[in-house]
Amino acid sequence: MKRDRNAELEDKQPLLDGKGSEAETSVTPYATAGFFSLATISWLNPLLAEGYRKHLELKDLQLLAPESRATKAYGDFKESWNWLKIRNPNRARTLIHALMRSLWKEGVRNAAFAMVNVLATYVGPYLINDFVNYVAGRQRYAHQGYTLILIFFFAKVTENLSNRQWYLGSMLLGLKIKASLVAFIYEKGLRLSSQSRRVHTSAEIINYMAVDVQRVADFTWSINHFWILPLQIALALFVLHRVVGIAWTAALVAACVLLLINTPLTKLQEKYQGKVMEAKDERMKVTSEVLRNMRILKLQAWDKKYFAKIEAIRVKEMSWLWKKAVATASTVYLFWTAPVLVSTATFATCVIMKIPLSAGQILTALATFRILQDPLDSFPEFISNLTQTKVSLDRLWKFLHEEELATDAVERVPKAASENALAISIKSGNFNWNPDVVPYTLTNVNLQVRAGSRVAICGMVGSGKTSLISCILGEIPVVSGMVKVAGSIAYVAQSAWIQSGTIEQNILFGSDMDRLKYEAVLLACALKKDLELFAYGDQTEIGERGINLSGGQKQRVQLARALYQDADIYLLDDPFSAVDAHTGTYLFNEYVMRALRNKTLIYVTHQMEFLPQADLILSGKYEELILPGTSFSAMIHAHQEAISSINTASKNNAVADSENNRNHLTVKEKEILKDGNPLLTPKNMKVDDNDQKFQLVQDEERERGKVAFAVYWSYITCVCGGLLVILACVAQCCFVTCQILSNYWMAWATSPKQGRKSPSPLNLISVYTGLAFGSTFFIIVRSLLVEYVGLRTAQQYFLSMMRCLFRAPMSFFDSTPAGRILNRTSSDQSELDWEVYHKFNGFMVTTVSLVGTLIVMSQVGLEILLLFAPVFVACISMQRYYMASARELQRVKSIQHAPIIHHYGESIAGAVTIRGFRQEKRFMTSNVELYDKYMRPSFYSLAAIQWLVFRMELLTTLVFSSCMLLVIWFPSKGLDSGLAGLAVTYGLSLNSQQSWWVWCLCDVENKIIKVERIQQYTKIPPEPPLVIRGFRPPRVWPTEGMIILQNLQVRYSENLPMVLHGVTCTFWGGKKVGVVGRTGSGKSTLIQALFRMVDPVAGRIIIDGLDISTIGLHDLRSRLSIIPQDPTLFEGSVRANLDPLGEHSDAEVWQALDKCKLGDTVRGKEGKLSSLVEENGENWSVGQRQLVCLGRALLKRTRILVLDEATASVDTATDNLIQQTLRVEFSNCTVVTIAHRIPTVIDSDRVLVLSDGRVSEYDEPKRLLEDKSSFFSGLVAEYATRSSTGIV
């Protein structure tokens, strides 16, 4: 028995085999490093040295160890997920538990390092009292000073070592979580049912991958704070109990009060974060839709409308971001106030209870409060991260539990050996896209297709042809009945789905190359000539959605992909509509009749001439699959009418019509075309015929080297010229000054010298409280200023980027995958909205605090500053050495993230095709491989900063130890023991402050790359102005609609071949012009030039005497109408799709719907004009979408109408009705029609035949038919012969 070929392919490409395209790359030394190398992160030295010598690329980064790769992380997570789902399917937190179960070992290891770090941190505060007593002359044992210094030193080193391993482990854990969730979301996206796709659009799912998953992964930094904060508070209270006795209870009460006050703020932050994410989802959904359909927005002059729509959504998002920022600022204020409140409460209790306070006791308490301040300061961030993570987890949980396609909808069995065996069997099938809605899409379907037979499906628009194909694929929910398929399936969709990549890759589709078979496939699909026209042949890179291929070429690539798979069953959904008559005939003969002669074939078609060769014809409304039926008879009748029109035209060849003689020109036309007219002077007649080879899609733009100072400056001065930033810095300086003065007061007042009177306890506490609480005022000022400036800056960058994107030429979108743009508008913009300015704020805060610490420590002696100076220089040198690699790693990381987003968006668009070929595993493998590429720069970037911080903390620990030695060696300087103790108290945090300062500096340099990347998209060269003041056309222009093409030469890019070569002709006003030609002859390019989607290299287009290059794009495009080749619908209502600008009444909209034959369809919907149109118009057939586009043109009512294959996806009867409507409604308009159906253009006043971008023929149809050697005459004769055969 023959095995399913698709299943064999899956076996060849297992997802979890651990092998990829980079198998030859060596593994990171982190996997094999020894204890010392791991502890000091020395295993990274070779990479940093290489990064200092040159700009790092992805190929310079070694693979992660197998146990750290995305494949392993995803496999472990999925196993845990399935295990927990089976064990308790209704458990509410399966996602969290699955992550914990799959990564618990890494979590325990990180927790152990965190524990060591916390314990080491409190050694210093515990021993401060002993050190102050020693300095005051109360020595308890020999060499006590040196012993204390050694303990301090080793405690700080232990703290440093454990901290680095803790952070590095947390980062790696975050990468694994992100890998697990990204792969799982991707897999879920491929399996979503049609119902679930309505709830979660592709843009929303991209947001889950780009933002929500990142939030969850980032929480690994904070996850240990659940138990660390209580432990740190407990240790602090223990130390306080040792020095102030029962007064420690006041500190406990104060801390509890603060935690209670924080509870409502936490709930507010969670609420606001949820609203922010909802608004972000909505913005990304519209942005994704806009990027996907930017061409139609520009053609229809709707770009202003949709920019305003995105701007309005962004305003709503910003309002929630501001509310969240105010809640965050309140939390920051609360917890910066916490140490002040705790210390004041403790000291006040001591005074009330008359507990004596010595300098040692106070300094020990102050040191404890300073140590406690770090976790309390980070608590607002922890709360913020916790709320964001909870919101993201809830969103991910909801998505991951959405309904999937039923795996048992179709019973798949191997192909039977018997020739007469059934290949497809449907018994009593009832199918519905929405199971909750009646009537069903398909009712009581009974179909049996024998192996090797050909079945044709035809029917009116919206009759269910594609739905029948979908039920065989298992895409449409089965309400009842049974579907059985024997053998493998190859599927060709009605709307071509082409992957980014080479033509060869699209055809092979994961299979191995068989050259003879490959060449035969190219021949059968008529692709040989097309490949010869491409500079790189079949190695030509195809842009996103096949942008650099014509509609016919895309369909033929699809057909080649299907044929190469050598499947048992072929499902073709109207692939012949996109090709011309000659190519269609060739494909039917060579592809259908010859290449697939031994295959089971079901094909949808609107060409009646392809029906006689079918063994079975399915027609009519599919509630009852009847043959023949009323609908079928109507289509046959319509087809006969079309043939009659061609025959009539042929018989009247000899009739001369002097009024339409091609040499007869009006006076106005002669005036425009006369020699010397400046309007016809070419802009640039020098055209380089030696076109260089150039791929359309290039690598993503990437800066190199140090980030320019201008990037920093423009970011900082974006709001109020940077004045508010200066005020925020001043507020932080005032805060630190007040903090130092309050501590200095306590140390000075409690260590009196001879002759200096000690202040009373009340004065002691009063002064301290005044200074301490006074400092908190500056905190709230600084916090609000930072939040305001940060969000205002983010908004200005966003609007600037979006304006540039909307004004960018189509060549930018053709050569830039949407994933790259979405990466910047989603993840990069999210960083700008929150992370970037908080990193700048952290750097500013740490800088001021570090300077304050050095000022206090300098009280011991200026030697400290002299010692710190070379250490600071060494730290800066190391930081520069590190940044040479870190910058490039961050850039490589950002670049590697875009392909993940792009691959997902592309996969979702082609999910039906992927599932049809049963290639889910291969695409999952590609997704995991892409994420492995992203993990490499991410891991090395995270490890590099730990490498830097470890060495810096080691140096500052030496400075701190030296400070203590100076206190011991030079006691005769007369320094108060209290002030010496204060210096040591501040010195305890010197290493963490300096390392944190450098960390923040590096963070700023890394995050500024996000600003740099967005700035790149604010400098996109724009297309010509929308409006040129002083050169605006009259309000009634065009009045006649005469179009003159003069020596038109067009290419899509300077480095791409010429498409149109000197096209010269005139379309007379009010006439109908048909444009025909082989696929790829330049028909659509001509239309693009007419709408100035691409400006000509040379030549002119003149409409009613006005050179269109002299007016604004909006003035031009708003005066023209087009029904495009790819019918586009936007998510929203039917009315919004017909009249997005809101310029027409409901009565006018209904009138347009009736004229385009959709009135009854819309009236049958529950919401009428408010009926929902889903993403990409997926709940409407392709034919219906084209009719909606016709409705738009009927409402717009311009003097010039362009139809670019406008009726390719409708049946002949509907096409005839549409043509009648066009004749009546646009009788006085210039109508330019590109069509492959000869009846559509046969009654045109003129026919333009294009060949390889040149005018081959241009005359009246009758005259062209007179010349039997003309291309058009041959095309008509071929169509008439083909159409008449067997159709009665």
Side-chain angles (χ1 to χ4, degrees):
M1 185 178 291
K2 182 180 176 182
R3 192 163 179 238
D4 189 325
R5 295 184 64 87
N6 296 121
E8 289 177 5
L9 182 60
E10 288 181 4
D11 291 342
K12 291 178 184 177
Q13 296 169 323
L15 173 62
L16 301 177
D17 61 358
K19 298 176 182 177
S21 58
E22 303 160 315
E24 299 301 319
T25 308
S26 58
V27 175
T28 174
Y30 177 73
T32 56
F35 175 79
F36 179 79
S37 182
L38 286 174
T40 60
I41 321 178
S42 301
W43 54 268
L44 197 61
N45 289 347
L47 180 67
L48 293 177
E50 187 173 7
Y52 189 71
R53 291 193 302 269
K54 68 166 197 172
H55 298 306
L56 292 175
E57 305 286 348
L58 181 65
K59 65 178 183 293
D60 300 319
L61 309 180
Q62 296 163 311
L63 293 174
L64 301 189
E67 62 272 13
S68 300
R69 293 179 199 168
T71 300
K72 180 68 165 59
Y74 166 69
D76 290 346
F77 173 76
K78 187 173 182 181
E79 186 274 329
S80 297
W81 174 273
N82 292 335
W83 184 85
L84 288 167
K85 287 273 286 184
I86 293 171
R87 186 181 181 191
N88 192 345
N90 298 319
R91 193 166 185 175
R93 293 291 174 226
T94 305
L95 180 60
I96 299 174
H97 293 131
L99 289 170
M100 292 173 62
R101 187 174 184 273
S102 62
L103 298 167
W104 69 271
K105 292 180 181 178
E106 291 88 340
V108 169
R109 178 176 176 271
N110 289 340
F113 282 118
M115 174 71 77
V116 173
N117 177 261
V118 171
L119 294 175
T121 301
Y122 277 87
V123 170
Y126 186 80
L127 296 176
I128 279 285
N129 192 31
D130 293 339
F131 186 77
V132 172
N133 289 334
Y134 172 80
V135 173
R138 295 188 290 274
Q139 183 174 350
R140 294 168 53 192
Y141 52 86
H143 308 297
Q144 181 184 0
Y146 294 107
T147 303
L148 289 173
I149 291 173
L150 282 174
I151 294 173
F152 275 118
F153 177 78
F154 283 113
K156 300 305 287 184
V157 170
T158 302
E159 179 187 342
N160 185 11
L161 287 168
S162 58
N163 216 358
R164 304 288 68 78
Q165 298 304 313
W166 171 23
Y167 281 8
L168 184 58
S170 296
M171 295 167 179
L172 186 55
L173 180 62
L175 284 177
K176 289 182 178 181
I177 288 175
K178 192 173 180 182
S180 304
L181 293 178
V182 165
F184 207 57
I185 290 170
Y186 179 86
E187 183 180 42
K188 182 72 177 184
L190 288 181
R191 295 177 175 178
L192 281 182
S193 67
S194 57
Q195 279 290 92
S196 300
R197 282 293 306 275
R198 293 188 181 100
V199 179
H200 304 275
T201 64
S202 57
E204 288 175 326
I205 302 173
I206 286 173
N207 231 14
Y208 299 151
M209 298 176 73
V211 179
D212 290 292
V213 169
Q214 187 65 51
R215 298 278 191 214
V216 176
D218 287 346
F219 193 65
T220 54
W221 283 81
S222 309
I223 195 167
N224 284 308
H225 282 75
F226 277 113
W227 60 268
I228 285 179
L229 185 61
L231 176 62
Q232 288 176 314
I233 292 175
L235 289 172
L237 293 175
F238 171 75
V239 174
L240 287 175
H241 178 266
R242 180 173 178 261
V243 294
V244 297
I246 195 64
W248 70 271
T249 55
L252 176 61
V253 171
C256 291
V257 169
L258 288 170
L259 292 173
L260 288 173
I261 295 174
N262 185 65
T263 302
L265 287 175
T266 303
K267 291 181 178 179
L268 267 181
Q269 283 183 290
E270 182 178 346
K271 173 187 173 183
Y272 294 150
Q273 177 63 19
K275 296 295 184 181
V276 166
M277 295 308 298
E278 287 176 10
K280 196 181 297 290
D281 281 347
E282 187 179 0
R283 172 172 62 83
M284 286 305 301
K285 181 167 64 177
V286 177
T287 303
S288 178
E289 190 173 49
V290 163
L291 294 177
R292 203 166 48 241
N293 303 305
M294 185 61 79
R295 185 179 301 276
I296 192 66
L297 294 183
K298 289 179 179 291
L299 286 171
Q300 299 284 9
W302 292 343
D303 34 2
K304 286 183 178 179
K305 170 73 175 179
Y306 274 82
F307 176 78
K309 184 176 181 179
I310 290 179
E311 190 174 16
I313 296 171
R314 176 65 178 179
V315 168
K316 184 170 69 173
E317 181 185 0
M318 285 298 297
S319 70
W320 290 116
L321 276 168
W322 174 245
K323 290 176 182 178
K324 175 188 169 186
V326 171
T328 301
S330 302
T331 307
V332 168
Y333 170 74
L334 182 65
F335 282 92
W336 274 91
T337 306
V340 174
L341 180 62
V342 171
S343 60
T344 303
T346 304
F347 294 146
T349 303
C350 289
V351 170
I352 293 170
M353 300 183 69
K354 298 183 179 180
I355 299 174
L357 288 173
S358 65
Q361 289 173 308
I362 287 177
L363 291 172
T364 298
L366 290 176
T368 304
F369 296 144
R370 282 181 63 81
I371 296 295
L372 189 58
Q373 185 171 346
D374 287 336
L376 288 177
D377 289 346
S378 63
F379 194 72
E381 184 180 358
F382 169 69
I383 294 298
S384 177
N385 291 340
L386 179 63
T387 56
Q388 292 179 39
T389 303
K390 183 179 181 300
V391 169
S392 293
L393 281 170
D394 289 341
R395 284 157 52 85
L396 293 174
W397 165 260
K398 180 181 177 182
F399 170 71
L400 293 174
H401 281 75
E402 288 291 353
E403 181 187 40
E404 298 181 1
L405 284 170
T407 55
D408 58 350
V410 177
E411 182 183 352
R412 302 289 291 267
V413 297
K415 180 183 178 183
S418 172
E419 292 184 2
N420 293 323
L422 291 177
I424 299 171
S425 176
I426 305 176
K427 295 181 180 178
S428 303
N430 292 301
F431 307 89
N432 203 5
W433 288 110
N434 187 348
D436 301 326
V437 176
V438 291
Y440 297 151
T441 307
L442 300 176
T443 305
N444 195 27
V445 178
N446 289 282
L447 175 65
Q448 291 188 339
V449 179
R450 299 200 174 277
S453 60
R454 283 190 292 272
V455 178
I457 305 176
C458 60
M460 306 292 279
V461 171
S463 58
K465 302 180 294 296
T466 298
S467 295
L468 182 59
I469 295 288
S470 297
C471 79
I472 298 171
L473 290 168
E475 293 294 323
I476 181 170
V478 181
V479 180
S480 63
M482 181 273 289
V483 182
K484 186 175 181 180
V485 175
S488 58
I489 290 178
Y491 168 64
V492 176
Q494 185 176 18
S495 298
W497 177 68
I498 304 295
Q499 281 186 273
S500 299
T502 65
I503 295 174
E504 180 189 284
Q505 289 169 343
N506 270 272
I507 294 173
L508 296 182
F509 205 52
S511 299
D512 296 329
M513 168 61 80
D514 181 334
R515 181 53 63 179
L516 291 176
K517 178 180 173 183
Y518 182 76
E519 293 296 329
V521 166
L522 294 180
L523 188 63
C525 297
L527 281 169
K528 284 281 192 180
K529 184 178 179 182
D530 298 89
L531 295 183
E532 291 172 2
L533 297 175
F534 291 124
Y536 288 87
D538 64 357
Q539 298 305 307
T540 299
E541 289 280 347
I542 301 176
E544 189 171 20
R545 301 187 305 279
I547 197 69
N548 50 335
L549 299 180
S550 69
Q553 288 170 334
K554 284 189 280 189
Q555 280 293 5
R556 283 181 285 133
V557 170
Q558 273 206 131
L559 288 166
R561 175 174 62 206
L563 184 57
Y564 193 85
Q565 300 307 308
D566 193 21
D568 301 315
I569 301 170
Y570 281 76
L571 305 177
L572 311 183
D573 193 355
D574 196 21
F576 307 116
S577 295
V579 298
D580 59 78
H582 173 80
T583 305
T585 301
Y586 178 90
L587 287 174
F588 193 80
N589 291 332
E590 295 298 322
Y591 191 95
V592 173
M593 301 302 295
R594 183 170 299 172
L596 301 182
R597 61 185 178 275
N598 296 321
K599 304 292 185 180
T600 304
L601 170 64
I602 297 182
Y603 61 98
V604 175
T605 184
H606 291 301
Q607 282 96 328
M608 298 294 102
E609 59 271 22
F610 293 150
L611 297 180
Q613 289 78 10
D615 300 315
L616 176 65
I617 300 175
L618 304 178
S619 175
K621 297 290 183 180
Y622 287 96
E623 295 88 340
E624 300 175 3
L625 283 171
I626 58 174
L627 174 68
T630 305
S631 300
F632 186 71
S633 300
M635 288 186 291
I636 293 297
H637 180 68
H639 185 71
Q640 290 172 336
E641 286 184 353
I643 299 302
S644 298
S645 69
I646 294 176
N647 292 334
T648 301
S650 300
K651 290 177 182 177
N652 294 332
N653 283 349
V655 179
D657 188 347
S658 60
E659 292 181 2
N660 292 323
N661 191 291
R662 59 182 171 179
N663 295 320
H664 180 81
L665 300 178
T666 65
V667 175
K668 185 174 182 179
E669 288 163 354
K670 289 180 178 178
E671 183 180 322
I672 292 174
L673 291 171
K674 68 183 180 181
D675 294 336
N677 191 327
L679 288 173
L680 302 184
T681 305
K683 286 184 287 186
N684 178 14
M685 294 299 296
K686 295 181 180 180
V687 180
D688 184 10
D689 293 327
N690 299 318
D691 298 321
Q692 298 179 354
K693 292 185 176 182
F694 185 78
Q695 294 283 21
L696 177 65
V697 180
Q698 299 296 303
D699 291 337
E700 185 169 359
E701 181 183 2
R702 167 188 167 186
E703 303 290 344
R704 297 185 182 275
K706 190 174 181 180
V707 177
F709 176 74
V711 177
Y712 292 93
W713 184 251
S714 64
Y715 181 76
I716 293 171
T717 60
C718 186
V719 177
C720 300
L723 176 63
L724 297 183
V725 175
I726 295 173
L727 291 178
C729 292
V730 170
Q732 180 63 22
C733 290
C734 292
F735 166 75
V736 171
T737 301
C738 290
Q739 287 269 294
I740 291 174
L741 289 175
S742 64
N743 294 334
Y744 192 92
W745 162 257
M746 292 296 284
W748 177 83
T750 54
S751 56
K753 284 190 173 183
Q754 186 175 1
R756 190 174 69 197
K757 185 179 179 181
S758 298
S760 67
L762 182 60
N763 287 339
L764 179 71
I765 297 303
S766 298
V767 173
Y768 176 77
T769 303
L771 288 170
F773 273 99
S775 68
T776 62
F777 166 76
F778 298 106
I779 284 297
I780 193 64
V781 171
R782 186 258 293 170
S783 297
L784 290 175
L785 282 173
V786 166
E787 300 294 343
Y788 175 77
V789 172
L791 289 178
R792 276 283 306 277
T793 302
Q795 176 70 342
Q796 290 195 28
Y797 269 89
F798 173 79
L799 292 177
S800 179
M801 174 174 63
M802 293 309 297
R803 286 192 193 99
C804 285
L805 284 173
F806 271 85
R807 294 289 298 116
M810 274 312 301
S811 58
F812 170 79
F813 298 99
D814 293 345
S815 59
T816 307
R820 289 185 193 171
I821 305 174
L822 287 174
N823 194 28
R824 304 200 191 203
T825 59
S826 177
S827 57
D828 287 351
Q829 184 62 45
S830 292
E831 296 266 9
L832 213 64
D833 285 344
W834 198 254
E835 295 290 332
V836 175
Y837 71 87
H838 281 125
K839 297 301 181 185
F840 271 88
N841 176 57
F843 175 69
M844 180 265 291
V845 168
T846 311
T847 301
V848 175
S849 298
L850 180 61
V851 171
T853 297
L854 289 174
I855 291 172
V856 173
M857 290 183 65
S858 66
Q859 298 299 309
V860 172
L862 293 179
E863 294 88 348
I864 291 296
L865 295 180
L866 295 176
L867 182 61
F868 186 78
V871 170
F872 182 77
V873 171
C875 287
I876 293 298
S877 299
M878 281 193 293
Q879 190 265 347
R880 290 180 178 175
Y881 178 78
Y882 151 83
M883 281 307 302
S885 300
R887 274 191 302 266
E888 304 310 317
L889 287 170
Q890 192 68 24
R891 285 168 176 152
V892 173
K893 173 185 169 184
S894 296
I895 288 173
Q896 292 305 318
H897 193 245
I900 300 173
I901 303 297
H902 174 68
H903 182 253
Y904 175 78
E906 196 170 63
S907 299
I908 292 304
V912 178
T913 299
I914 294 169
R915 291 191 293 262
F917 285 96
R918 300 182 75 179
Q919 296 255 355
E920 296 97 323
K921 276 194 174 181
R922 183 172 71 84
F923 276 79
M924 275 299 303
T925 302
S926 298
N927 175 264
V928 172
E929 286 177 353
L930 285 172
Y931 196 81
D932 270 328
K933 289 182 178 179
Y934 169 77
M935 283 184 75
R936 284 156 62 190
S938 299
F939 171 72
Y940 288 114
S941 177
L942 297 171
I945 196 165
Q946 300 306 322
W947 177 93
L948 176 68
V949 172
F950 171 77
R951 283 151 180 77
M952 290 189 169
E953 285 206 9
L954 206 57
L955 288 174
T956 50
T957 297
L958 291 173
V959 172
F960 168 64
S961 302
S962 301
C963 174
M964 297 183 73
L965 283 172
L966 287 174
V967 172
I968 294 175
W969 287 345
F970 304 104
S972 58
K973 282 196 169 187
L975 185 67
D976 285 349
S977 60
L979 297 182
L982 182 64
V984 173
T985 300
Y986 272 77
L988 282 173
S989 60
L990 177 64
N991 66 324
S992 60
Q993 279 188 337
Q994 177 163 348
S995 63
W996 191 245
W997 178 80
V998 175
W999 182 304
C1000 289
L1001 176 61
C1002 297
D1003 243 355
V1004 165
E1005 291 210 32
N1006 286 333
K1007 293 298 182 183
I1008 200 68
I1009 292 173
K1010 303 294 184 182
V1011 179
E1012 178 186 65
R1013 283 166 56 80
I1014 288 180
Q1015 278 191 4
Q1016 288 173 351
Y1017 276 23
T1018 63
K1019 300 174 183 177
I1020 304 169
E1023 60 183 356
L1026 295 176
V1027 175
I1028 301 177
R1029 304 206 177 275
F1031 293 90
R1032 302 202 66 176
R1035 294 189 63 181
V1036 294
W1037 179 87
T1039 55
E1040 297 182 15
M1042 185 175 69
I1043 304 170
I1044 299 177
L1045 311 177
Q1046 176 68 16
N1047 191 33
L1048 196 63
Q1049 301 180 44
V1050 176
R1051 69 186 348 155
Y1052 283 101
S1053 169
E1054 292 182 3
N1055 300 305
L1056 290 177
M1058 197 73 67
V1059 181
L1060 295 181
H1061 305 266
V1063 174
T1064 300
C1065 60
T1066 300
F1067 301 161
W1068 281 271
K1071 301 298 182 181
K1072 310 295 183 287
V1073 179
V1075 182
V1076 297
R1078 301 281 190 218
T1079 298
S1081 59
K1083 303 185 294 296
S1084 292
T1085 302
L1086 179 64
I1087 304 307
Q1088 301 297 315
L1090 179 62
F1091 282 80
R1092 290 188 67 190
M1093 303 300 287
V1094 55
D1095 277 329
V1097 176
R1100 288 288 191 274
I1101 299 177
I1102 301 166
I1103 298 178
D1104 281 3
L1106 185 62
D1107 183 351
I1108 64 172
S1109 66
T1110 62
I1111 62 174
L1113 296 182
H1114 184 79
D1115 285 338
L1116 170 67
R1117 294 167 184 169
S1118 62
R1119 311 296 177 89
L1120 309 177
S1121 294
I1122 184 170
I1123 305 176
Q1125 185 173 13
D1126 297 320
T1128 300
L1129 297 189
F1130 296 86
E1131 186 174 1
S1133 67
V1134 173
R1135 197 195 194 294
N1137 269 276
L1138 283 161
D1139 181 27
L1141 302 182
E1143 296 176 338
H1144 302 279
S1145 66
D1146 283 357
E1148 291 174 314
V1149 173
W1150 278 117
Q1151 190 177 22
L1153 283 170
D1154 288 330
K1155 289 176 180 177
C1156 67
K1157 315 307 175 188
L1158 279 177
D1160 292 340
T1161 302
V1162 176
R1163 287 186 182 93
K1165 294 181 178 292
E1166 185 178 349
K1168 303 295 189 294
L1169 290 179
S1170 300
S1171 298
L1172 176 66
V1173 176
E1174 295 175 6
E1175 185 182 20
N1176 299 324
E1178 288 183 359
N1179 57 334
W1180 293 67
S1181 71
V1182 176
Q1184 288 173 326
R1185 292 179 222 167
Q1186 285 192 314
L1187 294 179
V1188 171
C1189 294
L1190 172 62
R1192 291 171 182 162
L1194 290 169
L1195 284 172
K1196 196 172 182 182
R1197 291 283 182 180
T1198 58
R1199 292 289 299 177
I1200 296 175
L1201 171 65
V1202 177
L1203 292 87
D1204 188 358
E1205 288 297 338
T1207 59
S1209 296
V1210 301
D1211 59 272
T1212 308
T1214 305
D1215 189 9
N1216 290 347
L1217 292 172
I1218 291 172
Q1219 296 306 322
Q1220 292 173 14
T1221 302
L1222 291 173
R1223 291 186 194 103
V1224 173
E1225 299 297 327
F1226 295 93
S1227 57
N1228 297 321
C1229 300
T1230 304
V1231 179
V1232 181
T1233 304
I1234 296 177
H1236 291 140
R1237 288 180 178 171
I1238 297 304
T1240 305
V1241 297
I1242 195 67
D1243 65 342
S1244 299
D1245 297 300
R1246 293 271 176 131
V1247 172
L1248 172 66
V1249 180
L1250 290 177
S1251 177
D1252 297 329
R1254 295 177 172 84
V1255 176
S1256 176
E1257 300 162 8
Y1258 183 50
D1259 210 330
E1260 301 163 28
K1262 298 172 185 178
R1263 292 184 177 277
L1264 291 175
L1265 289 172
E1266 288 177 4
D1267 184 0
K1268 298 300 181 182
S1269 64
S1270 72
F1271 175 88
F1272 184 71
S1273 178
L1275 202 62
V1276 171
E1278 180 182 16
Y1279 183 85
T1281 302
R1282 184 187 75 181
S1283 300
S1284 300
T1285 303
I1287 301 297
V1288 180

